[in-house]
Amino acid sequence: MNGIALREEVQDRIQDIREADILVGIPIYNNARTIGHVVKAVQVGFAKYFPDKKCVLVNSDGGSTDGTMEVIHNATIEDFQSILLHHRVRPAFKITTPYHGIPGKGSAFRTIFEIADILNVKACAVVDSDLRSITPEWIELLIKPVIEGGYDYVAPLYHRHKYDGTITNSIVYPLTRALYGKRVRQPIGGDFGFSGNLAKFYLTKDVWETDVAKYGIDIWMTTTAIANNFKVCQSFLGAKIHDPKDPGADLSAMLYQVVGAAFDLMDAYSDNWKTAAHSEPTQTFGFQYAVGLEPIAVNLDRMIDKFRLGVKELRDLWSVFLGNGIMDFLFNAEKLPKEEFHIPDEIWAEVIYCFASAAHKNLINKEHLLKSLTPLYIGRTASFVIETWDAAAEEVEAKIENLCRVFEEKKKFLIEKWDEWG
């Protein structure tokens, strides 16, 4: 067996399987309510789109106590004929194992990568355990580009409500696109396809006892694939329906986790991103169509109040690394009435680049630094909501596209800050 310790019955199961063509992994932790649907969708995906392939489903569990394991064991398709009409179906194998290491999604993924390596699979995918919108077609769209197209990494592309995924839309997508030169729209989407070779490559990286293993695995997988010149594409999966989060809620912990991981990767791959001059489109698979999306509640007054409080309480901390021009803007913005409140793309890009450079230089305790971004992020989100209140999805996407172009244009500003302080 490879680097992780697996239970004896799991080792026996792997030895029985010996080798496989396709593996889909699901990291699980107390997902009894949703996991049955996800497991069934994967099984039908195997049977419908890969009937002649040897397929394995791996559930990597973080210690569920709500009956998740029982739901998985009982989640079977009783009558494939009613779904598939006529297909020669090769039965899929199912492995359920606890993962080892520090608690977190990354440790669960490591177990999945290890089993994929042992079974020498050609193509893999991982999907979230709380999906309500997954269909069997997701398995085809995440796996086929690897098997038939020679791609190493398949990022997801979803339609989401215009106020869902605001950390992705305002920070992670513009930043990764500007840095590494690939337009991967959902770099932290949670559902990915990848080659067996890329799984082996991930296992060579010494990150499994770090914050990556707790909560930075999605952005790490995407960035590692792009920065190491693996062949990357994206597949349109339709709607991503999950428990929505109010973009005005206290997201400081999530910001710290996601943005912190992105900033750490900037240190690891600074030679790569400093030389990436412009971004290029990423090959996209799947038929794109309009989808119904669940509404998301937004409390604008509360968001602007949090921004104003942040300017009052954090101005001394911010003034250490935000330039005078940005600080003057923030003081003025804090006094604006709601109807006039606006944080332009140019200011926002400079704010993120100043935070990245301050993290690189360790000017301030990293956790304090990143959590101090929260009121600025909430203010920027409020500005975006005001600007797009009556906008259709296409108009909103155009505004995000413009923000990305500004991040790219401001890259020289980032490099000057980075080198000035580094």
Side-chain angles (χ1 to χ4, degrees):
M1 288 292 143
N2 286 24
I4 55 170
L6 294 170
R7 283 184 173 176
E8 190 174 338
E9 64 268 25
V10 175
Q11 294 184 29
D12 292 342
R13 184 78 169 134
I14 291 170
Q15 286 172 352
D16 287 343
I17 299 169
R18 298 181 63 185
E19 279 200 338
D21 300 304
I22 295 168
L23 180 148
V24 172
I26 310 173
I28 50 176
Y29 181 69
N30 289 339
N31 303 115
R33 190 173 57 86
T34 53
I35 191 63
H37 170 69
V38 178
V39 168
K40 287 179 180 179
V42 173
Q43 290 177 315
V44 175
F46 286 158
K48 189 173 182 181
Y49 296 106
F50 306 103
D52 58 342
K53 300 292 187 186
K54 194 171 181 180
C55 300
V56 180
L57 171 60
V58 176
N59 299 282
S60 186
D61 184 61
S64 297
T65 56
D66 68 340
T68 294
M69 305 292 269
E70 291 76 11
V71 174
I72 290 169
H73 288 304
N74 295 329
T76 57
I77 305 299
E78 301 298 337
D79 182 10
F80 274 107
Q81 291 301 316
S82 66
I83 298 169
L84 306 174
L85 298 181
H86 53 83
H87 266 284
R88 182 177 65 82
V89 176
R90 186 173 185 175
F93 296 90
K94 198 188 292 183
I95 298 173
T96 303
T97 179
Y99 63 74
H100 298 269
I102 60 177
K105 189 176 177 183
S107 295
F109 276 26
R110 185 189 187 187
T111 297
I112 292 163
F113 298 157
E114 290 274 13
I115 294 173
D117 184 25
I118 295 166
L119 294 174
N120 199 30
V121 301
K122 309 297 182 292
C124 315
V126 288
V127 295
D128 281 339
S129 53
D130 61 351
L131 290 164
R132 287 181 275 145
S133 56
I134 187 172
T135 67
E137 285 65 43
W138 285 33
I139 306 308
E140 178 195 28
L141 288 162
L142 292 173
I143 294 291
K144 269 201 176 167
V146 177
I147 288 182
E148 296 184 2
Y151 286 89
D152 289 295
Y153 191 71
V154 187
L157 183 61
Y158 319 105
H159 282 328
R160 302 175 78 168
H161 188 277
K162 60 185 175 182
Y163 304 138
D164 184 23
T166 48
I167 293 177
T168 295
N169 293 345
S170 63
I171 303 176
V172 181
Y173 172 46
L175 183 64
T176 55
R177 168 173 158 168
L179 289 174
Y180 305 105
K182 282 280 185 189
R183 298 176 196 170
V184 176
R185 183 63 182 83
Q186 299 288 343
I188 55 172
D191 313 290
F192 306 101
F194 47 98
S195 66
N197 286 335
L198 183 53
K200 293 177 194 290
F201 184 79
Y202 286 147
L203 288 170
T204 67
K205 298 298 177 182
D206 187 20
V207 298
W208 306 109
E209 301 302 322
T210 70
D211 286 349
V212 166
K214 293 181 190 172
Y215 39 62
I217 191 70
D218 295 344
I219 188 62
W220 178 82
M221 286 175 66
T222 303
T223 304
T224 301
I226 296 171
N228 289 283
N229 297 314
F230 284 92
K231 194 176 178 185
V232 175
C233 67
Q234 51 191 5
S235 280
F236 178 70
L237 303 178
K240 173 129 181 173
I241 298 177
H242 59 119
D243 296 333
K245 298 176 180 65
D246 178 352
D250 182 10
L251 297 174
S252 59
M254 187 175 178
L255 265 176
Y256 168 65
Q257 294 164 4
V258 175
V259 178
F263 286 175
D264 288 346
L265 287 159
M266 288 177 71
D267 276 321
Y269 290 112
S270 59
D271 290 345
N272 301 64
W273 62 256
K274 283 185 180 181
T275 57
H278 55 83
S279 71
E280 59 185 26
T282 300
Q283 175 68 53
T284 301
F285 296 102
F287 176 70
Q288 297 203 36
Y289 55 91
V291 295
L293 298 169
E294 296 185 343
I296 291 183
V298 177
N299 186 329
L300 264 178
D301 290 327
R302 185 176 68 181
M303 294 167 79
I304 294 173
D305 286 345
K306 286 186 176 183
F307 169 79
R308 288 171 176 156
L309 184 63
V311 174
K312 287 185 173 72
E313 292 185 343
L314 295 166
R315 63 179 66 186
D316 290 343
L317 185 149
W318 291 339
S319 64
V320 173
F321 58 93
L322 293 180
N324 291 337
I326 296 175
M327 292 303 298
D328 289 345
F329 172 86
L330 294 175
F331 290 148
N332 291 329
E334 184 257 327
K335 300 177 180 68
L336 290 174
K338 182 171 77 172
E339 300 74 33
E340 299 174 32
F341 186 78
H342 180 57
I343 299 178
D345 292 349
E346 291 75 13
I347 291 287
W348 180 241
E350 290 188 4
V351 164
I352 295 301
Y353 284 161
C354 285
F355 268 83
S357 301
H360 164 62
K361 185 60 177 173
N362 294 320
L363 289 179
I364 295 162
N365 172 276
K366 181 184 173 187
E367 186 169 358
H368 291 165
L369 173 75
L370 291 169
K371 288 190 174 177
S372 82
L373 178 59
T374 303
L376 295 175
Y377 157 75
I378 289 175
R380 165 64 193 189
T381 303
S383 172
F384 182 77
V385 169
I386 292 167
E387 203 177 335
T388 59
W389 192 256
D390 296 317
E394 296 78 11
E395 298 171 80
V396 173
E397 197 61 29
K399 289 187 181 297
I400 295 168
E401 177 69 21
N402 186 70
L403 176 63
C404 290
R405 283 195 293 269
V406 171
F407 266 73
E408 291 182 32
E409 290 162 6
K410 292 278 184 184
K411 195 166 172 184
K412 186 178 178 185
F413 172 89
L414 166 64
I415 292 171
E416 287 172 356
K417 284 285 183 191
W418 189 275
D419 292 340
E420 167 194 329
W421 290 341

